[in-house]
Amino acid sequence: MNTRKMIFFDIDGTLIPEGINKVPETAKTALKGARENGHLLFINTGRTYFNIDPFIRELGFDGYVCGCGTYIYYHGRQLLAKTIPHDRCVQLVKKMRSCRIPGFYEENDHIYFDCDAKAPSREMMENIRRTFGTKAYDLPKDIYDSSFTFDKILAYIQPDSDVEAFRSYSDSFLEYIDRGGNMAEIIQKGYSKATGIRFLCDYLKIPLEDCFAIGDSTNDLSMLEYVPNSIAMGNSDAVVLEKCSYVTDYVENDGIYHALEHFGLLEGHK
C-alpha cells in the first residue's frame, strides 16, 4: 500500500486568513509534520507563479499548481505551461473594453492592468495595481505586438458591464467563475485546479485516493470535487461546505493542523 500522500493547498482563506499575509504557526507545524512523514505538499492556486509570496515559498512545498492548472512546477522544474494565444488575447482585451468590464490580465511572471482614463473604475484599478508593485504593468499600447499574451483574467463587474455579451463570445473557450462581490475569475477551458492534480497523479504515479485538497472558495471547487479527501476551511463559501468530505476550522483557529491531524497525516508529530 502506498503510504505517501499528496496534499494540495489553496492560499487565500486557506493557508492565510483573508487580508493577512502571514501563515499561522500551527499551520507551519502541520506542514512540517506532514512533510517529515513523507507526504508531498503542493500549492494549488489561481495565482500565477510570480504572485506567490516569498513567505509561502519558504515553507518548503514540493511544487506549485498555478493559474488554475495552467502552470505546474515540481522541485523547481516547470512541467507544464499553457498561455492564451496572442491573437485571442488581443480580441479578449477588445471585448472586455467594449463590454465595459475592467480587470487585469495575469501571466506567469507579471500582471497587465488596463487603467483606461475613461473607465469609472480607474481609481479602484490603480489602487489594486499598486499592491502588485514592480510586477504590475500598464497594458501595452501596442497589444498587437506578438509578444503580448496572458494566461487568465480577473474581472471586476460594474453596474453597466455587459457580462452576457462578453460570455457569449468567450464561453466556448474560457470558463467564467463567479467569485462573489462582483468579481469573476476567467480561466482557460480544459485547465483547472483539478487538472493540475490529475497531471501530478500521472507524473508521480500516485493514485487519486491518496490525494487531499484543502480550500475555501468557488475557484477551489474543481479540485475539492475531484479528490475523495476534500477539506473545507471553516470560513468557506456555503457551496464549498456542502461539497467537502470534512470541514475544519478557520486557519487562524488551527484549521490546517486539525485537518491534517483528522486524516492521520501527522501521526507521530506534535
Side-chain angles (χ1 to χ4, degrees), residues 37 39 41 44 75 78 119 124 176 208 248 257:
N37 278 351
H39 306 309
L41 310 184
N44 198 341
H75 288 174
Q78 186 182 84
M124 174 194 75
Y176 183 99
L208 186 60
T248 189
Y257 191 94

Side-chain angles (χ1 to χ4, degrees), residues 57-250:
R57 299 188 195 191
E58 291 168 1
L59 295 175
F61 286 93
D62 292 281
Y64 302 87
V65 177
C66 302
C68 291
T70 52
Y71 282 81
I72 298 175
Y73 297 86
Y74 178 62
H75 288 174
R77 181 184 173 197
Q78 186 182 84
L79 303 180
L80 176 74
K82 175 65 176 178
T83 195
I84 299 172
H86 164 70
D87 291 346
R88 182 157 278 174
C89 287
V90 171
Q91 294 306 314
L92 281 166
V93 170
K94 289 182 175 181
K95 199 66 179 179
M96 288 276 284
R97 288 171 170 172
S98 69
C99 292
R100 301 173 299 284
I101 303 175
F104 55 81
Y105 304 88
E106 301 179 68
E107 197 168 44
N108 199 43
D109 58 1
H110 60 264
I111 290 181
Y112 290 119
F113 280 77
D114 194 3
C115 295
D116 188 329
K118 294 179 284 188
S121 56
R122 175 186 171 87
E123 183 177 354
M124 174 194 75
M125 291 301 295
E126 289 184 339
N127 287 338
I128 297 169
R129 183 190 190 280
R130 280 192 286 271
T131 67
F132 288 95
T134 59
K135 290 290 187 176
Y137 296 84
D138 288 329
L139 199 68
K141 294 188 182 303
D142 182 15
I143 61 174
Y144 296 96
D145 186 287
S146 61
S147 65
F148 173 64
T149 59
F150 51 84
D151 308 323
K152 60 193 288 279
I153 302 170
L154 196 64
Y156 291 86
I157 308 306
Q158 304 299 296
D160 67 339
S161 295
D162 191 345
V163 175
E164 184 177 353
F166 178 80
R167 293 194 60 177
S168 69
Y169 165 72
S170 67
D171 274 4
S172 63
F173 60 93
L174 296 178
E175 181 180 352
Y176 183 99
I177 302 173
D178 186 347
R179 296 291 303 275
N182 297 318
M183 184 172 72
E185 195 162 15
I186 304 170
I187 66 176
Q188 298 179 58
K189 188 161 282 189
Y191 294 85
S192 69
K193 293 187 176 186
T195 65
I197 294 176
R198 184 175 66 210
F199 181 98
L200 285 166
C201 283
D202 293 340
Y203 183 81
L204 296 170
K205 304 296 188 289
I206 294 177
L208 186 60
E209 56 265 28
D210 288 328
C211 293
F212 297 76
I214 310 176
D216 70 293
S217 67
T218 51
N219 81 336
D220 297 317
L221 280 173
S222 67
M223 72 170 178
L224 294 171
E225 292 178 320
Y226 183 63
V227 302
N229 308 298
S230 55
I231 301 162
M233 301 303 293
N235 54 289
S236 297
D237 293 344
V239 65
V240 173
L241 293 171
E242 294 171 0
K243 299 288 186 180
C244 290
S245 55
Y246 178 74
V247 177
T248 189
D249 209 327
Y250 287 50

Side-chain angles (χ1 to χ4, degrees), residues 5 7 9 26 30-31 33-34 37 39 211-214 228-233 244-249 253-269:
K5 315 296 183 186
I7 314 169
F9 299 84
T26 56
L31 296 174
N37 278 351
H39 306 309
C211 293
F212 297 76
I214 310 176
N229 308 298
S230 55
I231 301 162
M233 301 303 293
C244 290
S245 55
Y246 178 74
V247 177
T248 189
D249 209 327
N253 293 338
D254 308 334
I256 295 294
Y257 191 94
H258 292 321
L260 300 194
E261 184 180 50
H262 171 81
F263 283 100
L265 300 168
L266 301 180
E267 289 182 359
H269 286 268

